[in-house]
Amino acid sequence: MTHLTKNFARPEKNEEVVTFGSLDPSVQELLTAAFQVRQRAYVPYSGFKVGAAFRAKDGGQIFSGCNVENAAFTPCSCAERTAVTKAVSEGATEFSAGAVLAYEPDVFTTPCGVCRQFIREFANEDIPIYVAQAFDARISEKKDVLQSEDPVLCTSIFNLLPSSFHTYRK
Ligand code: THU
């Protein structure tokens, strides 16, 4: 084995699906923040609302963000990048956990490739990423809060983006 792979981002956590109600209250709080900010998603083009929230490693403050679209399409910001950019702007540059919420009927909405790289920039170790389903924003079956039995995918940034590019600046 060569030393050239020793800093590669290898997953340190297993992926599993658990219920919302079984999660630690601090994780429930993070998912709830993502759920709430999702309602502010600016999505006149896709109608696809996403909410994200990240907990700062120092101090534990939660920073949340929604996706913000644009008529020119290219300048769209995903919810994850809105949240992380808000946090970094406020001085929080390392996170202990993240949460993402959207609604597709048969699949968890995991962060896009660009967002995985964006999150990785501010995660020097493998941090958990919690992914849950919200209600469908295009129909009116609105739930007020996440329910205890709702499924949550517990993954991590190194599961989502193994062997990532990171060390250039160090
Ligand atoms: N989107 C996110 O906010 N996060 C993701 O991880 C995937 C995609 C947004 C971008 C766009 O506003 C809408 O979802 C449809 O792609």
Side-chain angles (χ1 to χ4, degrees):
M1 194 64 169
T2 168
H3 71 286
L4 294 173
T5 57
K6 79 174 187 225
N7 289 329
F8 269 23
R10 302 280 188 226
E12 293 163 17
K13 301 167 192 307
N14 292 324
E15 285 188 317
E16 58 178 345
V17 177
V18 304
T19 60
F20 178 75
S22 71
L23 288 162
D24 188 88
S26 69
V27 178
Q28 292 188 9
E29 184 188 31
L30 195 65
L31 280 159
T32 301
F35 184 92
Q36 284 167 345
V37 77
R38 177 176 179 263
Q39 297 180 39
R40 300 213 181 97
Y42 177 76
V43 291
Y45 308 103
S46 73
F48 189 75
K49 295 186 171 199
V50 186
F54 287 82
R55 192 179 286 283
K57 192 171 176 185
D58 287 341
Q61 192 181 337
I62 290 175
F63 295 90
S64 63
C66 60
N67 50 335
V68 182
E69 298 186 342
N70 188 277
F73 288 15
T74 309
C76 288
S77 177
C78 290
E80 298 89 327
R81 278 178 285 140
T82 305
V84 170
T85 299
K86 279 175 65 184
V88 174
S89 308
E90 300 293 325
T93 54
E94 218 176 328
F95 306 107
S96 59
V100 182
L101 257 111
Y103 177 82
E104 286 204 76
D106 297 315
V107 70
F108 285 114
T109 301
T110 50
C112 78
V114 171
C115 286
R116 292 175 195 209
Q117 181 67 30
F118 206 85
I119 296 164
R120 168 64 171 123
E121 183 72 18
F122 304 104
N124 289 318
E125 58 195 15
D126 198 12
I127 61 163
I129 305 288
Y130 301 93
V131 182
Q133 269 186 315
F135 59 90
D136 187 346
R138 287 159 294 194
I139 59 173
S140 58
E141 284 174 30
K142 184 176 182 303
K143 286 190 290 182
D144 290 333
V145 289
L146 285 159
Q147 308 292 311
S148 180
E149 66 277 9
D150 283 347
V152 177
L153 170 68
C154 306
T155 182
S156 72
I157 190 60
F158 289 3
N159 273 297
L160 294 169
L161 193 67
S163 307
S164 55
F165 177 68
H166 184 63
T167 52
Y168 170 75
R169 71 191 168 103
K170 303 238 159 174

